[in-house]
Amino acid sequence: MAARDTTSAEDRLIARFFQPLATHPGALGLSDDAAFLTPPPGCDLVLKTDAIVGGVHFFPEDAAHTVASKALRVNLSDLAAKGARPLGFLLSLALPKEIGDDWLEGFAQGLRGDAVLFDCPLFGGDTDRTPGPITISIAMIGSVPEGTMVRRAGAKAGDRVFVSGTIGDAALGVMVRKGKNWKLSGSHRQHLVSRYLLPQPRNALAEAVRTHASAAMDISDGLAGDFAKLCRASGVAADIEVARVPLSEAAKAVIGADSAMLETALTGGDDYEIVCAVPAIKCASFSAAAKAANVAATEIGEVKAGEGARFLASDGRALTFKRASFSHF
């Protein structure tokens, strides 16, 4: 008589879809209740967790592999802003009953591709059923040389403000997904939607941030609101020249058609770029390091004594926003 298979459906799911991602010896092949990790010599661990929820952070019809990549990349973005190198991650999945093997196969493929791309293996996690929307929570583990993690606090008067990439694409991309048109070209529509679907975390810039920035954070809830948080944590003020904020050609096309969309670009969120304060004496070196890393970094303003971040129009007028940043609450 053949032996009866006593493994649970959850065990089989984990073995089929996620065990291949657990390539670090400390993951123990996902065969235990926990994993272990020895920090690199002379390094601090950097810990971060973020969740994405169906209907909030992604559309239910989005491809499973892009959902997986987004879940991982929003956490990688935070590590980049801390100047940290990723070591691995933990994954918790809450799955509605309609999620089947086909979706999980695509999800696992998306995770596997980015785990390899960013050298960031899976260490473990949990799977559950939920009556609500799919929820994906990732706990990211990274490392920095001891005592060198870049914090929000630390910016000083006289520092220059830099931002990576372009701002506002994802927020505008959500509006495109919801039916906004603005008579955009197909390539502009595709650019905006793809920036929402698939963030581009700036981990290639992490070392330059670590060695140059006095303060930094990733932009998840909008440049205006997130940079204001950095200023509060650092106890400083800043003037940002809105005309210098980098915009993609697609975002410029939208704002050219509807000037009110500038506020959306500055406050809408989901950019996953880095904003940082760099001492004036280090600016040239930081720009060179960013160029060497093939990441665009644009100077957009200056840190000053006082309180609060001002976003200045070309005539010097301080802009006011209906809502400074995205908030879940």
Side-chain angles (χ1 to χ4, degrees):
M1 180 182 293
R4 186 164 60 92
D5 184 0
T6 59
T7 58
S8 69
E10 182 178 9
D11 288 339
R12 291 192 295 271
L13 181 154
I14 291 167
R16 176 179 173 184
F17 296 112
F18 300 115
Q19 197 172 54
L21 282 68
T23 55
H24 190 283
L28 302 173
L30 304 188
S31 63
D32 211 311
D33 302 297
F36 67 88
L37 175 64
T38 303
C43 286
D44 294 328
L45 292 181
V46 179
L47 310 177
K48 169 64 185 177
T49 186
D50 239 332
I52 64 171
V53 179
V56 179
H57 301 95
F58 60 92
F59 290 83
E61 65 270 23
D62 287 345
H65 72 274
T66 65
V67 174
S69 288
K70 184 168 190 175
L72 195 63
R73 291 179 180 208
V74 301
N75 285 277
L76 284 164
S77 178
D78 277 294
L79 286 195
K82 302 299 99 184
R85 177 175 71 88
L87 297 177
F89 68 100
L90 302 171
L91 168 69
S92 291
L93 276 177
L95 301 170
K97 63 181 179 181
E98 62 268 20
I99 294 293
D101 284 359
D102 287 347
W103 192 94
L104 283 168
E105 181 65 42
F107 183 84
Q109 287 178 358
L111 272 187
R112 186 181 300 115
D114 273 1
V116 172
L117 179 63
F118 294 101
D119 192 17
C120 184
L122 175 67
F123 274 83
D126 189 33
T127 53
D128 293 290
R129 282 294 187 199
T130 177
I134 184 170
T135 301
I136 305 150
S137 181
I138 283 179
M140 184 67 63
I141 307 159
S143 69
V144 292
E146 227 171 86
T148 64
M149 188 187 85
V150 183
R151 301 168 56 193
R152 291 183 186 182
K156 301 288 192 298
D159 287 354
R160 304 300 194 263
V161 182
F162 283 81
V163 69
S164 67
T166 56
I167 297 301
D169 292 326
L172 298 174
V174 173
M175 299 182 74
V176 170
R177 281 291 299 270
K178 290 180 176 179
K180 284 288 187 181
N181 191 328
W182 298 295
K183 297 181 179 179
L184 296 174
S185 68
S187 62
H188 283 168
R189 289 174 59 85
Q190 178 59 32
H191 173 82
L192 296 177
V193 170
S194 67
R195 285 275 283 161
Y196 170 72
L197 281 174
L198 196 62
Q200 300 297 323
R202 303 304 181 181
N203 296 84
L205 194 61
E207 182 64 9
V209 169
R210 188 183 70 80
T211 55
H212 293 82
S214 56
M217 65 182 295
D218 89 321
I219 304 167
S220 56
D221 295 329
L223 174 62
D226 281 341
F227 185 63
K229 295 172 189 174
L230 186 151
C231 287
R232 284 196 296 272
S234 294
V236 296
D239 284 346
I240 303 300
E241 298 176 47
V242 171
R244 300 178 70 181
V245 174
L247 301 172
S248 69
E249 292 304 314
K252 289 177 184 177
V254 171
I255 294 165
D258 182 356
S259 60
M261 291 299 100
L262 175 61
E263 179 169 337
T264 299
L266 295 174
T267 65
D270 262 5
D271 292 309
Y272 299 106
E273 298 290 352
I274 296 173
V275 62
C276 59
V278 178
I281 196 171
K282 293 185 175 182
C283 285
S285 177
F286 177 72
S287 295
K291 185 176 181 179
N294 200 31
V295 177
T298 305
E299 185 179 338
I300 60 172
E302 183 177 357
V303 178
K304 299 191 172 184
E307 295 182 359
R310 298 195 308 164
F311 282 72
L312 304 178
S314 54
D315 61 3
R317 173 177 49 91
L319 300 181
T320 57
F321 304 119
K322 294 176 184 175
R323 186 181 71 169
S325 67
F326 174 81
S327 174
H328 289 285
F329 302 100

